[in-house]
Amino acid sequence: MTKLSRRPLLCLVYLTLPIGCGGELPGPVEGQSPAGGAPSLHQRAPLLLDDHGDISATATPVQASASPFTGTLEDSFDKDVFSFQAKAQHFYRFQCTFPSLRPGWQHDRIDARNSPMRTEVVWSPPGRGLYFKAVAQEVAYVRLSARAFAVSGPYSCQLVDLGADDHGDTLATATPWVPDTLATGVLELREDRDAFAIPLPRGAFYRLSCDSPTFTPCQVNVVAPSGVGTGFLENTATFNATHPGDYLVEVATAPGTDVVIRGAYSLRLEHLEDDDHADTSDNATRLAPSPAPFSGKLSGSVDRDVFAFTALQGHVYRFACDILLGRSLGPTLVLRDRAGQYVEGSSFVEGMGTSVAVEAPAAADYFVELSHGAYEGPYRCRFEELGFDDHGDSATQATEVSLSTLLTGRIETRSDVDVFTFPLRPGHSYRFQWVEGTASNTSFQLNDAQGKQLQFSTLNWMVHEATEEAMYQFEVKLSQTWGTGTYAIQATDLGPDDHANLPEGATLLEVGQTLPGWRHRNDDVDVFVFHVEENNLYRLTCSGCGLIFLQPFGKVLPLHVANPDSYLLDAIDTGPVHISVVSGSSYQLSLAFLGKDDHGDDTARATPITFPLRLSALMETPFDTDVFSVNLRAGQPHRVNAGGHPTMVVTVLDPEGQEVPKTFEGDFTPRLPGIHHLRVQTSVGYDFRYGAYQFALD
């Protein structure tokens, strides 16, 4: 069949075409790929006859053979599709060439709906062709088209059957492999998967290696009869044969590997060692309770040792592993029931072994799994029956005791709670103090008669003051996920509160007396009262506590002289003084008499004097003030001073209470006649060593 040339045509021929007279047929639209979905030029104006169809439905049948077939891409929009009868599991190569070394065309394998399945673009002629595999016997389609602008003209193509796949891709089509032999094969393409089925007994570790002289890396994956694989493809796979039967070995190339054409490889299987304990519950090693330890070995991250035991209803069982010499941890443990549900797991604690335990609610089978975690190598464990739970887990099953007493028991499992009940008396304080035991991370909880929590502590001690007479509940349990073991807790009735919390019931503290006290909880307040006499001096000492003076405390002037133990008290009036002990635990409180103040501290208690006068006086405390009264005439000059220390200050007050000016030497002249007051005290901000001084008025 002769095709029309692309020479200029007469204008009359192109009256219906969107081109000018004498023009060429238009090429691809700018910005649109020739391989895209735009219709070809001859579809819009059928002036050129297409030699091969553009879609699967109009494909030209060809044979897969060494003989080439030819055709022409009439323009850059043209697509030529060919069909052939493909054989199942055969590999094919489709490759075309142009007489001139034109780049920018592509080969496609397409389906019956014209959707691309695989593509190969040729930018460097002649290219390497399109390689693909036919999974089933079917009619297959290949297509040649332009990738770049203005690629057209005659071409020559070849469709070659490269032969059948040497090994199947699935377990159903896998090639049988006899253990202790070398398996070989060829990966024809990058996407090829070769499958082998090798029968193995249960209970051994193997290493599977893949070697290839033609491509790297050669990767393998092993899938057990249970359907569980070793994971990602890798050059060497180590696995444990946990089930008897055929193991599927998959061979492949690494992702991103270039197209492989007949890449040979060989497989080698090595027996590493036998597994001492099964990895599944179906073949678990059964245990009977015994104080004697047993040994085993975890052979790397792929190993898991499973043990089984039968529990009796209400009995407690414990599976524990030691820390071996040179290690800091035990193996990971998980306890499961017959249905495979998680019951309890071990927690890693540096320097402590691992363990799991269960109190069986009914007779049943349980399984303990030892796995790699952070552990590999030998282990030593023991499986023990601890009998029945020593104390009930709830108030209805609690152990009833009387206080004071020693509470002893054992926290058998991480969820174990030991509950005790006992009567408490209102107004009495009770202390619960850890004495000894192997359990750690225990917590105490005290509930009232209705089960409401009153106190909770993780400090291994607790003090409570009862407010009603009732049966209370005391719980011992773990505050963390580890630390099971024994305990001994001293529960003591401390009796009523030793000192009242309010001034109405305050404890009397007498001069020269020392009283002990004990604050049994943080909010406990002990109130005391003592009596002072005017102008007397006292020392109040509280060893091991902190105290405050209750308002009003105007009977004394307190000076804190030893933090927090001691106060100097200057009584300015006669009467009671209340104090409250607000911090500390055990303490002792005492009151001592220091003597009398020689002169009053205010104008109401001033010492009357006349002038001229010289007298010796005493500053009994650093905050002492001595006040004198004298009758003076207006306008008569005087001099006053208090010798003995440069920080002593004398202030002169007139009958109206106003300060009378005086010189540095102490000279002053009264402005009003009548009673004046002379006040002697230490200057503020100076460290006066209190004691004797000389007072003079001229």
Side-chain angles (χ1 to χ4, degrees), residues 324-328:
L324 299 184
L325 184 64
R327 298 179 178 269
S328 60

Side-chain angles (χ1 to χ4, degrees), residues 540-542 545-549 564-565 567 579-583 589:
L540 178 65
T541 302
C542 185
C545 73
L547 57 83
I548 61 173
F549 289 81
D565 290 342
Y567 290 83
I579 61 170
S580 177
V581 178
V582 295
S583 65
L589 189 66

Side-chain angles (χ1 to χ4, degrees), residues 414 440-444 456-458 477-482:
R414 290 177 174 83
S440 56
N441 291 309
T442 55
S443 64
F444 300 164
F456 178 83
S457 173
T458 59
K477 52 188 174 182
L478 294 182
S479 59
Q480 301 289 337
T481 58
W482 54 275

Side-chain angles (χ1 to χ4, degrees), residues 364-667:
D365 283 345
Y366 288 88
F367 301 91
V368 179
E369 301 173 1
L370 279 75
S371 59
H372 175 256
Y375 195 94
E376 181 178 350
Y379 58 81
R380 184 178 64 240
C381 306
R382 60 175 49 84
F383 173 63
E384 302 171 288
E385 180 185 351
L386 304 180
F388 291 99
D389 192 1
D390 53 355
H391 302 290
D393 294 357
S394 63
T396 57
Q397 302 169 326
T399 301
E400 186 173 343
V401 297
S402 297
L403 303 187
S404 298
T405 189
L406 186 68
L407 307 177
T408 60
R410 181 187 186 95
I411 302 297
E412 290 94 353
T413 70
R414 290 177 174 83
S415 59
D416 187 23
V417 180
D418 285 358
V419 184
F420 301 87
T421 61
F422 38 76
L424 297 187
R425 300 172 60 185
H428 281 229
S429 294
Y430 297 85
R431 179 177 59 202
F432 303 89
Q433 180 70 52
W434 175 278
V435 178
E436 61 181 357
T438 60
S440 56
N441 291 309
T442 55
S443 64
F444 300 164
Q445 180 172 317
L446 185 66
N447 303 328
D448 62 16
Q450 290 73 41
K452 179 182 178 181
Q453 178 181 311
L454 299 175
Q455 274 191 258
F456 178 83
S457 173
T458 59
L459 302 176
N460 286 334
W461 65 271
M462 177 188 293
V463 176
H464 178 74
E465 182 178 350
T467 58
E468 62 176 343
E469 185 168 357
M471 293 294 290
Y472 286 66
Q473 305 160 19
F474 182 74
E475 299 179 1
V476 185
K477 52 188 174 182
L478 294 182
S479 59
Q480 301 289 337
T481 58
W482 54 275
T484 59
T486 61
Y487 62 85
I489 300 167
Q490 183 64 53
T492 306
D493 183 349
L494 301 174
D497 192 1
D498 53 353
H499 302 290
N501 297 345
L502 298 173
E504 288 74 14
T507 301
L508 177 63
L509 175 64
E510 297 183 348
V511 174
Q513 185 182 27
T514 298
L515 294 179
W518 180 66
R519 296 177 62 253
H520 57 273
R521 64 175 188 272
N522 288 337
D523 59 350
D524 186 22
V525 175
D526 291 349
V527 180
F528 296 84
V529 62
F530 56 88
H531 293 271
V532 297
E533 294 184 6
E534 178 184 336
N535 284 338
N536 280 3
L537 300 173
Y538 304 88
R539 180 183 294 274
L540 178 65
T541 302
C542 185
S543 300
C545 73
L547 57 83
I548 61 173
F549 289 81
L550 299 182
Q551 298 289 346
F553 61 90
K555 304 294 181 183
V556 294
L557 294 175
L559 177 66
H560 203 178
V561 295
N563 186 26
D565 290 342
S566 190
Y567 290 83
L568 286 178
L569 306 179
D570 186 354
I572 60 176
D573 201 354
T574 298
V577 178
H578 288 83
I579 61 170
S580 177
V581 178
V582 295
S583 65
S585 181
S586 295
Y587 62 89
Q588 288 191 330
L589 189 66
S590 61
L591 182 67
F593 173 67
L594 300 182
K596 281 189 167 293
D597 193 358
D598 56 350
H599 301 288
D601 292 358
D602 54 27
T603 57
R605 298 170 179 79
T607 300
I609 61 173
T610 59
F611 68 93
L613 175 70
R614 297 252 189 311
L615 63 82
S616 295
L618 184 67
M619 282 289 178
E620 287 83 6
T621 67
F623 55 82
D624 188 19
T625 301
D626 288 350
V627 181
F628 303 91
S629 63
V630 60
N631 191 8
L632 300 177
R633 289 185 297 176
Q636 183 177 354
H638 295 279
R639 173 174 289 185
V640 63
N641 63 70
H645 197 280
T647 62
M648 297 294 290
V649 176
V650 180
T651 304
V652 181
L653 302 176
D654 64 20
E656 295 180 351
Q658 300 298 314
E659 184 175 346
V660 179
K662 64 181 182 61
T663 66
F664 178 78
E665 291 79 10
D667 296 335

Side-chain angles (χ1 to χ4, degrees), residues 646-696:
T647 62
M648 297 294 290
V649 176
V650 180
T651 304
V652 181
L653 302 176
D654 64 20
E656 295 180 351
Q658 300 298 314
E659 184 175 346
V660 179
K662 64 181 182 61
T663 66
F664 178 78
E665 291 79 10
D667 296 335
F668 70 95
T669 301
R671 296 172 299 173
L672 299 175
I675 300 299
H676 286 64
H677 290 91
L678 310 178
R679 186 174 61 203
V680 183
Q681 59 189 142
T682 303
S683 178
V684 176
Y686 287 91
D687 180 18
F688 172 59
R689 296 180 180 179
Y690 53 91
Y693 67 93
Q694 297 295 320
F695 181 74

